[in-house]
Amino acid sequence: MAEKWLVGVDIGGTTIKLAFISEAGEIMTKWEIDTDKSNNGQQIPTDIAKAIQTKLIELDQQKEKLIGIGIGAPGPVNFHDGSIEVAVNLGWKNFPLKALLEQELGLPVVVDNDANLAALGEMWKGAGEGANDLIFVTLGTGVGGGIISSGKIVHGINGAGGEIGHVTSVIEGGAPCNCGKKGCLETIASATGIARLAVEAITSTETPSQLRELYNEQKNLTAKQVLDAAREEDELATKVIDQVTLHLGLALANLSNGLNPEKIVIGGGVSKAGDTILQPVKEQFARFAFPRVLDGVEITIATIGNDAGVIGGAWLAKTSF
Ligand SMILES: [Zn+2]
């Protein structure tokens, strides 16, 4: 019998990534469509269904070639019915994604949070290399995460498991977070947080830095500029990155003391800085981890980047249907 394919879909704020993936986890074809956020994103399930049908025709394949669809969406997922409770940047509220897509396509659909899918993708085909106990943290505009324990995503009682970005790092006087709390890891270790800390350091200290001139020109900074300066051992940028990696290492060590993971995988735009982030995180992790936890773990940078979501979606479909 001819091999069947899995479908991985990763819904983002500007594009939707799609892929047909073999049962061995090999990407057969991948493509993107624009995310249509007009009319509160109501059109999105139809767009996804059409994109899949069009691609099947293009490849001269029947719908029967597809086993099912694993789809990642931003925001908390209701696992009883595969609806999205709220996805602010898509305009969704109690949006029945699974039901709508199954109706459009007549194929089984499983839905999970996008960061959880990325964690599964890294576990299956990326830096996780099959590790059954894994912490994935993604450092982008925000800080997302996924925790895998004994091969299964930790969802918790109402879908908020693995929200690593909202571990409290600063107990008093922390910056406000999108979640409503203050001092979350996300306010420090996200790209936004790194840029904010650098601007604060420039405007409130005399520490010498090549970033001062950039800041005076742009009236702002990007995380990449701060990370590049830290790589060149700029004094102020190094202090900022020391603060970021202290809190990241501390949060990951505390989570690990409860989970005893085999791998910790760091992804997202900020992780592209490689050793500038990884080495100091490892040092801080070693300070705060229980010795036996430290012995068992390997901390690495994510390897499959933008494909992690669709590969994780395929894994979810493979293990669900
Ligand atoms: Zn928060």
Side-chain angles (χ1 to χ4, degrees):
M1 206 178 90
E3 195 197 42
K4 288 198 161 197
W5 292 341
L6 305 151
V7 187
V9 182
D10 186 3
I11 304 178
T14 49
T15 61
I16 298 169
K17 298 185 179 71
L18 303 103
F20 293 161
I21 293 171
S22 76
E23 286 185 85
E26 192 190 339
I27 293 180
M28 311 313 291
T29 182
K30 61 173 178 176
W31 73 105
E32 290 183 8
I33 59 172
D34 290 338
T35 308
D36 180 1
K37 286 178 286 192
S38 64
N39 195 16
N40 285 331
Q42 298 296 312
Q43 186 63 24
I44 291 173
T46 310
D47 290 348
I48 293 170
K50 274 191 192 147
I52 291 170
Q53 283 156 344
T54 309
K55 186 61 74 176
L56 280 172
I57 293 168
E58 206 178 298
L59 298 175
D60 198 19
Q61 296 289 346
Q62 303 295 315
K63 194 176 76 181
E64 289 64 37
K65 182 82 175 171
L66 306 177
I67 296 166
I69 301 168
I71 183 162
V77 173
N78 179 332
F79 298 100
H80 301 291
D81 60 6
S83 67
I84 309 299
E85 309 227 331
V86 59
V88 178
N89 65 348
L90 302 177
W92 288 355
K93 209 162 181 239
N94 296 318
F95 191 76
L97 180 59
K98 173 184 157 79
L100 289 172
L101 205 51
E102 284 185 341
Q103 202 181 336
E104 292 263 4
L105 275 171
L107 284 166
V109 174
V110 57
V111 179
D112 206 329
N113 171 267
D114 52 0
N116 286 344
L117 283 202
L120 289 172
E122 287 288 344
M123 173 189 82
W124 192 20
K125 288 286 150 186
E129 292 174 340
N132 270 324
D133 295 279
L134 177 146
I135 297 176
F136 173 73
V137 60
T138 170
L139 312 175
T141 316
V143 172
I147 294 172
I148 296 168
S149 181
S150 304
K152 292 240 184 287
I153 281 283
V154 174
H155 290 118
I157 187 66
N158 60 0
E163 287 290 350
I164 296 168
H166 305 287
V167 167
T168 301
S169 295
V170 180
I171 297 169
E172 299 290 346
C177 181
N178 291 326
C179 73
K181 292 202 299 144
K182 284 181 180 166
C184 293
L185 180 64
E186 176 164 301
T187 68
I188 296 170
S190 63
T192 326
I194 292 171
R196 181 184 60 81
L197 290 173
V199 169
E200 274 179 20
I202 283 174
T203 50
S204 68
T205 72
E206 298 291 319
T207 312
S209 176
Q210 65 191 60
L211 294 172
R212 288 185 181 277
E213 206 176 312
L214 272 173
Y215 176 71
N216 288 336
E217 282 167 21
Q218 305 170 355
K219 302 292 168 222
N220 216 336
L221 289 170
T222 65
K224 185 172 187 307
Q225 287 167 336
V226 181
L227 288 158
D228 287 348
R231 184 179 307 118
E232 292 162 20
E233 294 176 6
D234 180 88
E235 191 179 334
L236 184 139
T238 302
K239 278 189 179 164
V240 168
I241 298 307
D242 283 350
Q243 200 180 346
V244 169
T245 51
L246 163 66
H247 285 296
L248 189 55
L250 173 63
L252 290 173
N254 281 341
L255 286 167
S256 297
N257 288 348
L259 289 158
N260 194 11
E262 181 180 347
K263 299 257 181 169
I264 296 174
V265 181
I266 305 174
V270 172
S271 74
K272 293 194 179 116
D275 280 345
T276 307
I277 286 284
L278 187 61
Q279 288 313 324
V281 166
K282 281 184 177 173
E283 283 163 29
Q284 298 297 345
F285 185 92
R287 279 176 70 195
F288 300 119
F290 182 61
R292 201 167 161 80
V293 167
L294 179 61
D295 283 346
V297 78
E298 188 190 342
I299 308 177
T300 59
I301 299 287
T303 54
I304 51 175
N306 284 336
D307 293 336
V310 291
I311 292 175
W315 169 262
L316 200 59
K318 177 184 162 85
T319 51
S320 301
F321 310 128

